[in-house]
Amino acid sequence: MATNGIRRRTGRKAALHLAMYVLCLLSAYVLGFYSRNFLLEFAKALDPTVEFTLQTTKKSSSSLPERWERYSFDQIYDHYECKAQAEDKSKPIPSLAQWLFLRKQYKEFVDDTISFDDPIPPTMGYSYDESHNTPPFYAKLDPERGRGLYASRNIKRLEVVHHWSGHDVTFPDAYAFRQFVYSLPKRMACDVVDWAWSRKISGDNGPEVICLSINIASLMNSGDGPGEVNVSINSSTSDSFFATRDIVKDEEILTHFIRT
């Protein structure tokens, strides 16, 4: 009995030390005080099953596919042979280490001025409001449907389910998006191609930008038809996804994506 008590106290102490260590690392990460190599080594320690690729410089043109600058989503998808991964319903929900790696690559290859300073970890979404509450959804791996988002509470019709503005990242052009994708390991690249979407930023005739959630919001799936869809934007320039009907707790959140 005494031995068991000592083991429990030791386990709690170790868990507390690990939590404090992670908190310190994340604080350093959001403030920008970290070594890139150290961050990747820590990511590997958190998730040793994932292969992370350290890019010290941008890939040379010789290591990229011919005419990669003009590749469409479909061509990138085919280049990385993403079909098998897309159809794999057992692929896991991304870990904290993977989300941090994606954010680090975005900062390295797209926008070095961005600051990921949200106190809510990407595994829980983002700050849904000024009180830093999480969004009304959580990520879950369903054995039949694969990974997706599910309502963490009852959601009323027309309630905002996901704010993309201020939480999703954007790419200044398709070239920047391709550079980012080609900086990633194959499985991550396939995920990003699957998750990315485009929207207009001003009016029906305004330019479109490529958007990406580097948090669990990316796991929102597309419904098979109007009867399944329960979340949608209300205009081509909307910065939020609204509930199209009442959604009950633990129901999967589904929208309708159209990639152009």
Side-chain angles (χ1 to χ4, degrees):
M1 295 293 292
T3 301
N4 290 338
I6 293 173
R7 287 176 178 172
R8 286 195 295 270
R9 288 194 296 273
T10 302
R12 287 195 295 269
K13 186 176 181 180
L16 178 60
H17 285 173
L18 177 60
M20 293 176 65
Y21 183 55
V22 172
L23 180 61
C24 290
L25 176 68
L26 292 180
S27 298
Y29 173 78
V30 299
L31 291 173
F33 304 125
Y34 57 85
S35 160
R36 188 175 184 214
N37 284 300
F38 176 75
L39 177 63
L40 292 181
E41 288 303 318
F42 182 78
K44 291 176 184 177
L46 283 178
D47 195 350
T49 64
V50 177
E51 179 182 354
F52 294 95
T53 302
L54 178 61
Q55 299 289 344
T56 56
T57 58
K58 290 181 172 60
K59 287 185 179 180
S60 65
S61 58
S62 61
S63 66
L64 298 173
E66 187 178 359
R67 298 190 184 91
W68 66 270
E69 302 95 332
R70 300 180 181 180
Y71 267 32
S72 65
F73 277 99
D74 290 339
Q75 288 173 313
I76 296 174
Y77 185 88
D78 291 339
H79 171 72
Y80 281 109
E81 301 176 329
C82 296
K83 183 178 180 181
Q85 180 176 326
E87 295 175 349
D88 180 10
K89 301 301 182 185
S90 66
K91 57 182 178 286
I93 294 170
S95 65
L96 176 60
Q98 289 171 293
W99 291 123
L100 292 182
F101 181 80
L102 285 170
R103 290 182 174 189
K104 182 65 185 74
Q105 293 301 92
Y106 181 87
K107 189 177 181 72
E108 175 77 14
F109 287 87
V110 182
D111 182 3
D112 61 4
T113 67
I114 193 169
S115 176
F116 294 107
D117 56 359
D118 194 328
I120 301 298
T123 50
M124 298 176 65
Y126 52 85
S127 291
Y128 180 73
D129 53 30
E130 294 181 354
S131 298
H132 300 299
N133 290 309
T134 57
F137 52 70
Y138 63 92
K140 185 180 82 170
L141 180 64
D142 183 272
E144 295 183 1
R145 297 183 64 88
R147 51 192 188 183
L149 290 184
Y150 292 79
S152 56
R153 57 172 173 78
N154 292 335
I155 301 172
K156 294 292 186 181
R157 179 178 177 271
L158 299 182
E159 185 178 345
V160 174
V161 177
H162 168 49
H163 296 287
W164 86 266
S165 180
H167 302 291
D168 289 11
V169 299
T170 59
F171 296 84
D173 49 46
Y175 180 87
F177 176 76
R178 296 182 187 106
Q179 282 272 39
F180 173 68
V181 170
Y182 288 124
S183 78
L184 303 173
K186 177 180 176 179
R187 293 185 67 85
M188 285 188 181
C190 288
D191 276 339
V192 167
V193 173
D194 187 42
W195 294 338
W197 59 291
S198 62
R199 69 177 293 273
K200 294 183 181 296
I201 56 177
S202 61
D204 291 336
N205 296 322
E208 287 191 348
V209 296
I210 300 173
C211 307
L212 177 68
S213 296
I214 311 184
N215 57 64
I216 60 169
S218 276
L219 303 181
M220 187 187 300
N221 289 320
S222 185
D224 293 333
E228 276 199 346
V229 172
N230 52 24
V231 167
S232 182
I233 57 176
N234 60 8
S235 72
S236 61
T237 57
S238 175
D239 63 358
S240 299
F241 287 81
F242 297 85
T244 58
R245 59 170 174 78
D246 289 351
I247 303 172
V248 299
K249 185 177 182 294
D250 297 322
E251 179 181 353
E252 185 172 8
I253 294 173
L254 298 167
T255 189
H256 180 55
F257 290 111
I258 299 177
R259 182 169 291 154
T260 57

